[in-house]
Amino acid sequence: MQRAAGPEGAALAERLAAETEGEVLFDGGSRARYATDASIYQAVPVGVFVPRTPRDVETALQIARETRTPLLARGGGTSQCGQTTGTALVIDHSKHLRRVLAVDPRAGTAVVEPGLVLDHLNAELKRDGLWYPVDVSTSAQATLGGMAGNNSCGSRSIAYGNMVHNVRAIDAWLADGSALRFGPVAGLGPRERAIADAVRGLAERHRAEIEAHWPTVMRRVAGYNLDIFHPRSERPYTDDGSVNLAHLLVGAEGTLALYRSLTLALSPLPRAKVLGVVNFPSFHAAMDSARHLVTLGPSAVELVDRTMIELARRNPAFRPVIETALIGEPEAILLVEFSGDARDGLRAQLRRLVELVGELGLPGQVVEMPDEGPQKALWEVRKAGLNIMMSLKGDGKPVSFIEDCAVPLEHLAEYTDALTEVFRRHGTRGTWYAHASVGTLHVRPILDMRRDGAAKMRAIAEEAAALVRRYRGAFSGEHGDGLCRGEWIRWQFGPALDEAFRAIKQQLDPAGLLNPGKIVDPPKMDDARLFRFPPGYRTIPLRPVFDWSAWNVQNDAVTEATTPPGTGGDPTGGFAKAVEMCNNNGHCRKFDAGTMCPSYRVTRDEQHLTRGRANTLRLALSGGIPGLRAEDAMSSDVVREALDLCVGCKGCRRDCPTGVDMAKMKLEFTAHDKARHGHTLKDRLIAHLPDYARWAARVPALMNLRDRVPALARLSERWLGLSAQRRLPRWRRDTFWAGAAARGLATRAQVLAAQRAGQRAVVLFVDTFNGHFETENVQDALAVLQAAGYRVHVAHGGGDAAASGPALCCGRTHLAAGMTRQAEARARALLAALQPLADAGLSIVGLEPSCLLSLRDEYLVMGLGDAAQRVAERALLFEEFLAREAAAGRFAPRLRGAQAPILVHGHCHQKAFAAVSPVLEVLRLIPGAAPTLIESSCCGMAGSFGYEAAHQAVSMGMAEAALLPAVRAAPDAIIVADGTSCRHQIADGAGREAVHVARVLAQHLEAAAPRA
């Protein structure tokens, strides 16, 4: 695949496309998406190359050398100091070069390609009882190559060491194309031995400087590991004192060689773990206690401060977890973990922790977590620490530049007190978390880089450096040098060792081809030309269709001065600020069970990642995409292509710790795009389906001809883009509305009277899809509610009759097509019918997740007034309502025993709103039922998405990732899926019928309960 290059990169792109099998991405959008990592920096690369094979990397290196183009190796792009940004040819290893090449359980080693993600390696090692123990918080997206380049550490380094302690060998190419093996000095080849001799010579000549300047703390990752010949650390790089030349490349940030493969040292997987959460009344007490807690031999001691606790509470996914760890309102907590083979022994250590904390004057302040489930959930919150902190709204953000200074444990409390005072003097405060066990705390002062942030950053860095020197620590303790701390290498090691590093670079990369400007000859940390948000940063004035004002705020951690006009964000609501919430940490690159990000899981293309889409929008709005005017951003091909495969699953709404809601952002873009370019015939047919559904139901045979005549299906694909391989939903004459009068429904007056009388009463919102295509779902929902004694009123648009007048619609099809005016009209009609009922205290219950949950999501930002909020508070999915009523003792139908296993697939919007558990709860009311949730992401149908020919392959790829294999593996099970789209995808992909939970309950009804 090749994407067009500008004039400056055309020749390079042509050669790469002709001579390799890789993807050549030189268009403005791709270059812009790779311009950032998780740091504050931004530099548009020359181009992007995604190799398919190691040979591709070797060839790209040769072409770059011949064209004198700098190279920058990249994995997950999660570096926090700017290591993976630069005006070079970016080589992305993460898409294809991610194989486990060999595992030797007896030797305890694994050989991997550099693009392999840590969690994926550990998943494969688990069957052998092994793991790779450098467990960084970004383990779901961090690649092993990136971790080695950065000398990553992780939460359990007190027990297992850093990356450099767990690498046995590295196969790599030098800039001149030489393929070398870096490993133990005793087994080196001639070229490798010459390099080792040169480095040894430098170490011997600078022995005195190493003794004087090299930090003795274990956490130090600055410069090159020249001390492999004269280690000065608390922990040598090798246990036996031997020298391993591979350790020279660890932490070198891709400036010395390009990795081909890494040989890693594995560890036995602990059979058991216990966790004690120590609550502290003050931050100082937590810091002062760390040195005592480590004497118990824990495998981890991790900090969570008050700011992170409060931000975690605001996240619906994290709130219930963090609150299980708290006693009262602590200012800080320490997570103290013990691991090993014998659980009884670990419980004894946990008891000793409780005793020690009591001896330190804090009796009763330990939450004991001996069970794996609660531990895992809490560690996930801790691992998301960075992203949680970056969820602060407003222009002021926690900025990474001194965040991992490391000091000896005995000075940790003094250091943190002194640094807190530094922040106070500069009018800000810091957010703290991370590795108390080894004296490395991630602290980020909150600064506004659009205004005075750069000046404050420089001043704070200088004062922090003086503190580090006072306590004989390391200025760079974990996250490397990059653009952020490169200039401090000379300060840390002195001019003589800085020149020694330059000599190492000259020895291995004399032309300066590999990642220039890192470690050797770095720029100033506050060079505004490299900032993502430089002073004077502007975005285009934009009048959004949704209300984004919640993002247009200033957090209380920075100056309370209002944002000057034109200094960021649109003037009417903060859409740009919402986009800018993406901090590029790559949490969306994960592949574990969940929802984010389903299309990326299929394509593995940065363009189709939540981060990639957010970057595309941000750069488009600020004029940062080469060749694209900011004024054209919200109707451009660049943004349209990036958002094309966003299926609106809302997974990011729940999973993204910084709150990037790409589904809503896509709706915003679509409205602007369609306003400028107009709507296609397909857009109109899909959007207006609720408008003509009533008439189409009168001639279903005619409407269904498309799927009965193959030629018509082919024509629909050619003219409308609807895949001929898909069967469309079947129209029917016997819709719910056609027979509503005979269903025993209550009028509006009757249901209001029942509510006032304290009787069981509910309002059912029948959406277009269940009302016209799947009548059985509505009938069975009514049967279940009526059997349990509820008076049911079906909302409609006319009069006070039981079910007469026009059907109501949420407007979702119009929203998806960018027809916001029509969607608003639909929404207002629906709210007019529902508001009096909601105000009376009646619950509004819906069957289709995407429709009902629009009332709790999009309706609140459409300018619909207070009515939207009042209805949203009463809107529940069918299963949410029943679960609530059952818990209150008001819903207890007589049900027959389960006759078959039950598998449940959660609709994406159910997952986003934590509404999957209620499905399982109501199914468990069936005697003997043990419903199992399919651990799947999006089904891939996503409304009309999966019906479109252009999306057919990606749609099926999403389904085949987990959902369809699980369905095929359970031929005798009842498949429950509450989403219309999900049921169609299962039918198309697995040939199985999936049913709504209402149908399952109705099929198990034994007899009607007495009416209320």
Side-chain angles (χ1 to χ4, degrees):
M1 178 174 66
Q2 180 178 1
R3 295 185 190 149
E8 69 280 5
L12 177 63
E14 287 173 7
R15 285 199 61 185
L16 288 169
E19 299 175 34
T20 74
E21 299 175 3
E23 300 171 29
V24 181
L25 313 177
F26 276 57
D27 59 291
S30 295
R31 292 167 60 205
R33 281 185 284 273
Y34 281 84
T36 54
D37 53 15
S39 70
I40 59 175
Y41 299 101
Q42 177 173 293
V44 177
V46 174
V48 180
F49 179 61
V50 184
R52 295 183 183 276
T53 65
R55 178 63 184 273
D56 283 344
V57 179
E58 189 174 20
T59 303
L61 176 58
Q62 176 187 341
I63 295 171
R65 186 171 61 253
E66 293 173 0
T67 59
R68 299 184 179 180
T69 305
L71 282 183
L72 196 167
R74 178 173 165 126
T78 62
S79 300
Q80 295 177 27
C81 296
Q83 293 95 320
T84 55
T85 65
T87 52
L89 173 64
V90 171
I91 300 184
D92 182 354
H93 293 76
S94 66
K95 184 171 183 178
H96 300 295
L97 300 182
R98 50 187 175 85
R99 295 176 299 167
V100 178
L101 300 176
V103 175
D104 187 340
R106 298 186 64 181
T109 60
V111 182
V112 302
E113 290 184 317
L116 179 68
V117 169
L118 174 60
D119 274 359
H120 300 175
L121 171 64
N122 280 332
E124 188 158 334
L125 296 174
K126 189 174 182 179
R127 63 171 179 258
D128 293 316
L130 299 168
W131 74 314
Y132 191 63
V134 187
D135 59 334
V136 294
S137 61
T138 54
S139 61
Q141 60 264 34
T143 63
L144 275 305
M147 290 172 60
N150 206 47
N151 193 7
S152 297
C153 302
S155 300
R156 296 174 176 85
S157 63
I158 189 175
Y160 296 100
N162 305 342
M163 194 76 186
V164 72
H165 302 108
N166 294 277
V167 171
R168 291 289 175 266
I170 296 176
D171 289 279
W173 294 281
L174 296 187
D176 65 5
S178 303
L180 305 182
R181 181 173 179 79
F182 293 77
V185 168
L188 294 178
R191 180 73 184 276
E192 295 90 336
R193 183 170 294 278
I195 295 172
D197 290 342
V199 176
R200 181 188 289 109
L202 287 168
E204 290 174 351
R205 287 198 299 275
H206 295 91
R207 178 185 290 271
E209 285 84 2
I210 292 175
E211 293 289 335
H213 297 292
W214 215 273
T216 58
V217 292
M218 184 179 71
R219 289 295 189 97
R220 80 270 179 254
V221 298
Y224 297 129
N225 293 322
L226 178 61
D227 68 326
I228 56 177
F229 290 96
H230 300 299
R232 284 277 295 147
S233 169
E234 292 177 347
R235 180 173 186 155
Y237 295 126
T238 56
D239 294 333
D240 60 3
S242 62
V243 177
N244 190 321
L245 194 60
H247 297 160
L248 181 67
L249 301 187
V250 177
E253 301 183 354
T255 62
L256 300 180
L258 287 180
Y259 301 152
R260 176 170 182 156
S261 66
L262 301 99
T263 302
L264 308 174
L266 310 177
S267 295
L269 194 63
R271 296 182 180 177
K273 297 176 183 176
V274 296
L275 183 66
V277 184
V278 188
N279 287 245
F280 291 92
S282 70
F283 185 81
H284 178 89
M287 296 300 91
D288 192 49
S289 299
R291 57 196 172 107
H292 302 293
L293 301 182
V294 297
T295 63
L296 299 178
S299 52
V301 181
E302 294 288 293
L303 166 74
V304 176
D305 81 340
R306 184 71 191 174
T307 300
M308 184 170 159
I309 290 171
E310 290 307 314
L311 289 172
R313 279 174 159 169
R314 297 179 194 175
N315 186 299
F318 296 147
R319 180 182 178 91
V321 177
I322 194 68
E323 292 191 339
T324 64
L326 305 180
I327 298 173
E329 297 293 333
E331 288 300 310
I333 59 176
L334 289 179
L335 281 59
V336 185
E337 179 192 83
F338 302 97
S339 59
D341 294 332
R343 185 169 292 277
D344 289 343
L346 298 180
R347 287 180 180 271
Q349 285 184 282
L350 193 55
R351 290 192 296 271
R352 177 63 187 128
L353 171 67
V354 174
E355 295 170 1
L356 177 57
V357 172
E359 293 167 5
L360 294 175
L362 295 168
Q365 294 302 303
V366 179
V367 175
E368 299 180 52
M369 292 187 176
D371 298 326
E372 181 179 352
Q375 291 178 45
K376 183 178 180 181
L378 189 57
W379 278 116
E380 287 301 314
V381 175
R382 158 57 195 94
K383 289 172 70 174
L386 169 62
N387 285 323
I388 289 174
M389 291 196 306
M390 295 304 290
S391 66
L392 282 171
K393 295 178 181 178
D395 290 342
K397 300 291 184 186
V399 178
S400 170
F401 62 100
I402 57 165
E403 75 162 319
D404 56 344
C405 300
V407 299
L409 270 183
E410 61 267 24
H411 300 305
L412 189 58
E414 299 171 59
Y415 168 72
T416 54
D417 284 351
L419 197 53
T420 298
E421 181 57 33
V422 170
F423 299 155
R424 187 178 295 114
R425 285 200 301 273
H426 291 282
T428 186
R429 63 181 174 86
T431 56
W432 302 82
Y433 71 107
H435 319 299
S437 60
V438 287
T440 301
L441 293 180
H442 297 333
V443 55
R444 294 188 171 202
I446 301 171
L447 304 174
D448 182 355
M449 301 305 292
R450 294 168 170 82
R451 299 204 292 276
D452 58 355
K456 288 185 177 182
M457 182 172 75
R458 166 66 62 183
I460 291 171
E462 290 174 349
E463 294 191 51
L467 292 173
V468 170
R469 178 162 285 168
R470 181 195 307 174
Y471 298 118
R472 297 185 63 81
F475 194 73
S476 184
E478 178 177 5
H479 291 155
D481 299 318
L483 298 171
C484 182
R485 279 192 288 266
E487 71 164 287
W488 296 91
I489 293 174
R490 191 175 184 89
W491 170 91
Q492 177 83 71
F493 295 101
L497 288 178
D498 191 40
E499 289 303 314
F501 295 153
R502 187 182 306 278
I504 292 173
K505 172 74 169 176
Q506 181 68 24
Q507 176 76 20
L508 278 75
D509 180 20
L513 187 72
L514 303 178
N515 204 4
K518 314 302 192 304
I519 298 182
V520 173
D521 296 324
K524 292 290 187 181
M525 67 183 296
D526 53 349
D527 185 342
R529 295 170 299 178
L530 298 172
F531 287 157
R532 190 190 309 168
F533 299 111
Y537 173 85
R538 299 286 190 276
T539 58
I540 60 170
L542 177 75
R543 183 168 296 279
V545 299
F546 295 115
D547 178 7
W548 298 90
S549 59
W551 303 99
N552 203 15
V553 299
Q554 191 74 20
N555 65 61
D556 61 4
V558 295
T559 176
E560 300 207 16
T562 57
T563 303
T567 57
D570 60 86
T572 56
F575 175 65
K577 285 189 175 67
V579 171
E580 291 160 10
M581 288 300 294
C582 176
N583 74 329
N584 287 280
N585 199 250
H587 187 76
C588 42
R589 291 175 65 94
K590 64 181 185 177
F591 282 78
D592 55 355
T595 55
M596 187 173 72
C597 176
S599 52
Y600 172 75
R601 296 180 188 212
V602 176
T603 69
R604 292 180 180 264
D605 189 335
E606 182 75 18
Q607 177 176 241
H608 302 135
L609 186 63
T610 304
R611 177 181 72 179
R613 292 172 182 135
N615 272 327
T616 304
L617 278 168
R618 175 180 57 79
L619 289 158
L621 290 170
S622 61
I625 296 181
L628 176 65
R629 296 192 316 151
E631 292 74 14
D632 299 327
M634 289 303 282
S635 58
S636 66
D637 291 342
V638 172
V639 179
R640 189 180 308 108
E641 290 170 6
L643 297 181
D644 181 50
L645 297 189
C646 172
V647 293
C649 70
K650 300 181 189 280
C652 48
R653 182 189 186 278
R654 176 173 174 81
D655 292 355
C656 177
T658 60
V660 175
D661 189 346
M662 190 52 60
K664 197 173 298 178
M665 291 174 186
K666 180 176 182 179
L667 293 178
E668 181 75 50
F669 167 78
T670 302
H672 290 271
D673 185 40
K674 294 299 182 180
R676 181 165 182 175
H677 295 296
H679 293 86
T680 65
L681 178 57
K682 181 196 70 179
D683 293 336
R684 293 187 173 91
L685 281 173
I686 295 173
H688 292 300
L689 184 148
D691 300 322
Y692 60 78
R694 180 179 177 185
W695 311 106
R698 298 179 180 181
V699 286
L702 177 63
M703 297 298 293
N704 294 328
L705 271 180
R706 182 263 188 196
D707 286 342
R708 296 173 58 188
V709 180
L712 292 179
R714 291 192 295 271
L715 285 175
S716 76
E717 180 168 326
R718 181 184 304 172
W719 292 344
L720 300 175
L722 298 176
S723 173
Q725 300 177 52
R726 292 282 194 188
R727 294 182 63 85
L728 300 181
R730 292 189 70 252
W731 293 93
R732 55 196 292 175
R733 190 181 297 274
D734 60 332
T735 67
F736 166 78
W737 300 103
R743 310 219 186 269
L745 298 172
T747 65
R748 182 180 303 180
Q750 289 171 334
V751 79
L752 286 171
Q755 175 72 5
R756 288 193 296 269
Q759 299 173 349
R760 300 176 191 174
V762 67
V763 177
L764 188 64
F765 165 45
V766 179
D767 60 275
T768 300
F769 304 99
N770 283 297
H772 285 86
F773 296 105
E774 296 185 81
T775 301
E776 294 80 7
N777 294 340
V778 190
Q779 292 173 338
D780 286 349
L782 283 172
V784 171
L785 291 168
Q786 291 171 339
Y790 290 86
R791 299 298 302 273
V792 183
H793 172 67
V794 171
H796 56 88
D800 186 45
S804 64
L808 294 169
C809 170
C810 67
R812 178 140 213 100
T813 57
H814 296 96
L815 273 180
M819 300 178 182
T820 52
R821 290 183 181 176
Q822 294 91 328
E824 181 182 341
R826 284 284 187 175
R828 290 191 183 279
L830 180 58
L831 291 177
L834 296 180
Q835 181 188 333
L837 301 165
D839 287 346
L842 285 159
S843 294
I844 312 298
V845 175
L847 301 176
E848 173 59 36
S850 62
C851 294
L852 186 282
L853 292 173
S854 294
L855 276 63
R856 284 165 37 187
D857 191 8
E858 287 86 2
Y859 274 34
L860 302 181
V861 293
M862 289 174 64
L864 300 173
D866 187 53
Q869 183 63 49
R870 297 209 297 274
V871 169
E873 291 170 356
R874 307 298 304 175
L876 295 169
L877 287 168
F878 178 75
E879 56 272 12
E880 290 180 304
F881 175 75
L882 295 187
R884 186 194 71 181
E885 296 294 283
R890 295 189 293 268
F891 178 70
R894 300 172 187 172
L895 299 172
R896 292 180 287 105
Q899 301 298 310
I902 301 175
L903 284 184
V904 177
H905 167 68
H907 186 285
C908 289
H909 294 185
Q910 285 177 308
K911 296 172 186 175
F913 285 83
V916 175
S917 294
V919 181
L920 303 176
E921 291 171 23
V922 297
L923 288 171
R924 292 190 188 107
L925 297 175
I926 301 171
T932 301
L933 182 65
I934 299 173
E935 294 292 346
S936 60
S937 182
C938 179
C939 74
M941 187 63 86
S944 66
F945 179 89
Y947 290 103
E948 297 173 20
H951 299 147
Q952 166 81 8
V954 173
S955 171
M956 294 310 300
M958 294 183 200
E960 292 291 355
L963 172 60
L964 296 184
V967 170
R968 296 186 191 109
D972 299 324
I974 298 171
I975 309 299
V976 176
D978 283 356
T980 298
S981 296
C982 307
R983 294 191 292 272
H984 284 223
Q985 183 77 308
I986 291 168
D988 277 4
R992 296 281 300 282
E993 180 188 21
V995 295
H996 194 282
V997 67
R999 297 197 64 189
V1000 180
L1001 292 174
Q1003 289 164 6
H1004 287 81
L1005 282 175
E1006 185 175 275
R1011 295 182 64 86

